[in-house]
């Protein structure tokens, strides 16, 4: 991968070594009190969808709502979060200086919700059936760097992430296969003794080896305080625990996804269809969070829909 000049929050040599060994690292984006204070305000602001780029008309199905993708394109706090150098400097340490944020997603988990299946994502065709990101053919890597920021406390009891260290180097799933969407599956399946699903899908349908079983004895829980984040390759084997219901509080994570500017985002795609819903990409644009964009194959957003600029730190 491309080496970059040492920025303020670039990975140290030790962190870089840990990242390439494990496929993930954790760090602090905001102070806990700052995140809690911000979320009290922003959770109300996000209820106003008048400037969101996706409509809810065809987006809601089961317990998913893909119209809540990319709220950084209409919300100032989220726009500034994806541009935060505590995130972007670290991402650029891995991907090289020129980086795009191509998607953000909220991941709430409510009391009683199942955990998420073990999975890996390279092209993100897993649910849509069509590649959503494609690295150049001569690239050594694929997938995306995800920064999963805890907006609330994430614990084993309320459904934090799990990673299998080092597993990002081999894909155990074939994203050209088809998963069948069935919202009736939600909260109804047990796998390896744990309630798990994939928002109406069964990720096991994509297994290259039908007899493959993730080695959960190697799994590491990602316990995070509000404002802390886990940065990982999307090709890393990852899952989440179910929410045990021991507390009434929702667990909420915000995933921002990054790729080099050379990556082709949503190739030949006008509408995203997945999880039983669909949204139009008419108002979509990727965001340049670091360096320069020397390519013309991706649509770029320079401001939110309310005019707030995306400013590099």
């Amino acid at each position: 991968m491309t080496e970059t000049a040492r920025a303020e929050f670039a990975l140290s040599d030790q962190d870089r070594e840990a990242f390439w060994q494990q496929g993930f690292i954790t760090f602090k984006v905001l102070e806990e009190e700052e995140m809690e204070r911000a979320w009290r305000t922003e959770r109300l602001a996000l209820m106003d969808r008048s400037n969101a780029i996706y409509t809810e008309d065809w987006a809601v199905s089961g317990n998913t709502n893909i119209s809540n993708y990319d709220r950084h394109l209409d919300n100032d706090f989220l726009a500034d979060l994806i541009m935060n150098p505590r995130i972007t400097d670290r991402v650029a340490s891995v991907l090289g200086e020129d980086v795009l944020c191509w998607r953000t997603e909220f991941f709430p988990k409510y009391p009683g919700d199942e955990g998420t299946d073990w999975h890996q994502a390279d092209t993100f065709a897993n649910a849509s059936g069509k590649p959503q990101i494609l690295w150049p053919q001569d690239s050594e890597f694929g997938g995306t760097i995800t920064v999963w920021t805890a907006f609330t406390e994430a614990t084993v009891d309320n459904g934090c992430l799990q990673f299998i260290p080092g597993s990002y180097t081999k894909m155990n799933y074939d994203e050209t296969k088809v998963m069948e969407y069935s919202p009736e599956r939600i909260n109804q399946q047990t796998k390896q003794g744990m309630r798990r699903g994939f928002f109406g899908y069964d990720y096991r349908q994509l297994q290259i080896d039908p007899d493959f079983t993730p080695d959960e004895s190697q799994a590491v829980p990602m316990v995070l305080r509000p404002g802390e984040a886990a940065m990982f390759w999307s090709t890393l084997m990852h899952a989440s625990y179910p929410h045990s219901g021991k507390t009434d509080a929702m667990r909420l994570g915000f995933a921002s996804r990054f790729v080099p500017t050379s990556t082709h985002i949503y190739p030949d795609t006008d509408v995203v269809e997945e999880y039983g819903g669909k949204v139009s990409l008419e108002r979509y644009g990727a965001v340049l969070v670091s360096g320069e964009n020397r390519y013309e194959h991706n649509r770029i957003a320079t401001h939110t829909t309310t005019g707030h600029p995306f400013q590099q730190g």
Side-chain angles (χ1 to χ4, degrees):
M1 300 301 292
T2 303
E3 294 291 332
T4 61
R6 179 74 65 181
E8 181 179 2
F9 298 103
L11 296 182
S12 66
D13 292 341
Q14 183 178 5
D15 284 343
R16 187 190 297 269
E17 182 180 354
F19 182 82
W20 286 114
Q21 181 179 10
Q22 300 177 150
F24 69 91
I25 57 167
T26 60
F27 58 93
K28 182 183 293 185
V29 181
L30 298 175
E31 295 295 334
E32 184 171 340
E33 298 78 10
E34 185 180 3
M35 175 59 81
E36 291 176 339
R37 183 170 60 251
W39 181 235
R40 281 195 294 270
T41 301
E42 298 306 323
R43 67 187 305 171
L44 297 176
L46 285 162
M47 294 177 67
D48 178 3
R49 298 189 49 83
S50 58
N51 294 302
I53 67 167
Y54 306 129
T55 66
E56 292 186 294
D57 297 350
W58 301 100
V60 182
S61 179
N63 65 351
T64 55
N65 180 359
I66 63 175
S67 68
N68 278 325
Y69 285 177
D70 299 328
R71 294 302 305 273
H72 66 282
L73 293 174
D74 73 277
N75 178 272
D76 292 0
F77 172 71
L78 300 180
D80 291 342
L81 184 64
I82 68 164
M83 305 299 297
N84 189 314
R86 290 175 175 81
I87 292 176
T88 59
D89 286 357
R90 289 175 167 93
V91 172
S93 296
V94 175
L95 294 180
E97 183 179 0
D98 302 332
V99 178
L100 298 174
C101 177
W102 72 278
R103 178 188 283 177
T104 63
E105 302 169 56
F106 279 106
F107 284 101
K109 196 175 290 292
Y110 297 93
D113 278 354
E114 65 190 0
T116 303
D117 282 348
W118 286 105
H119 62 288
Q120 298 168 293
D122 182 358
T123 68
F124 283 76
N126 43 26
S128 66
K130 188 174 184 179
Q132 297 182 5
I133 54 172
L134 289 176
W135 287 48
Q137 290 186 348
D138 60 351
S139 294
E140 181 181 0
F141 290 95
T144 189
I145 291 290
T146 295
V147 177
W148 196 101
T149 304
F151 277 35
T152 65
E153 183 180 21
T155 68
V156 171
D157 278 343
N158 73 7
C160 71
L161 291 171
Q162 296 174 273
F163 296 150
I164 297 181
S167 58
Y168 67 95
T169 59
K170 176 186 177 182
M171 285 293 291
N172 297 292
Y173 304 93
D174 178 357
E175 292 174 298
T176 67
K177 290 186 174 184
V178 176
M179 289 193 298
E180 299 171 0
Y181 178 71
S182 176
E184 293 79 15
R185 288 195 181 104
I186 297 171
N187 288 326
Q188 298 299 318
Q189 291 186 301
T190 299
K191 300 165 186 176
Q192 293 181 257
M194 186 172 294
R195 290 189 304 110
R196 280 208 174 109
F198 199 76
F199 314 103
Y201 295 96
D202 185 336
Y203 215 86
R204 296 174 300 183
Q205 293 179 340
L206 300 186
Q207 287 182 190
I208 295 171
D209 175 2
D211 296 323
F212 168 71
T213 301
D215 184 0
E216 297 202 29
S217 70
Q218 301 299 312
V220 178
M222 289 294 103
V223 175
L224 299 171
R225 301 296 303 170
E228 293 181 331
M231 177 175 119
F232 61 99
W233 277 116
S234 61
T235 54
L236 184 74
M237 287 287 295
H238 56 291
S240 70
Y241 293 96
H243 193 310
S244 67
K246 293 180 180 179
T247 171
D248 292 336
M250 169 187 66
R251 184 227 70 184
L252 184 65
F254 179 75
S256 42
R257 305 190 187 276
F258 302 92
V259 291
T261 55
S262 58
T263 303
H264 198 162
I265 301 166
Y266 293 124
D268 303 316
T269 302
D270 297 316
V271 175
V272 174
E273 297 187 54
E274 56 189 17
Y275 304 108
K278 61 182 179 180
V279 292
S280 169
L281 295 174
E282 181 179 1
R283 302 177 68 193
Y284 170 82
V287 177
L288 183 68
V289 300
S290 176
E292 300 179 36
N293 178 38
R294 300 175 176 87
Y295 302 89
E296 297 182 355
H297 51 241
N298 294 316
R299 191 186 315 166
I300 305 297
T302 58
H303 295 72
T304 68
T305 55
T306 62
H308 185 74
F310 293 108
Q311 295 182 326
Q312 295 187 29

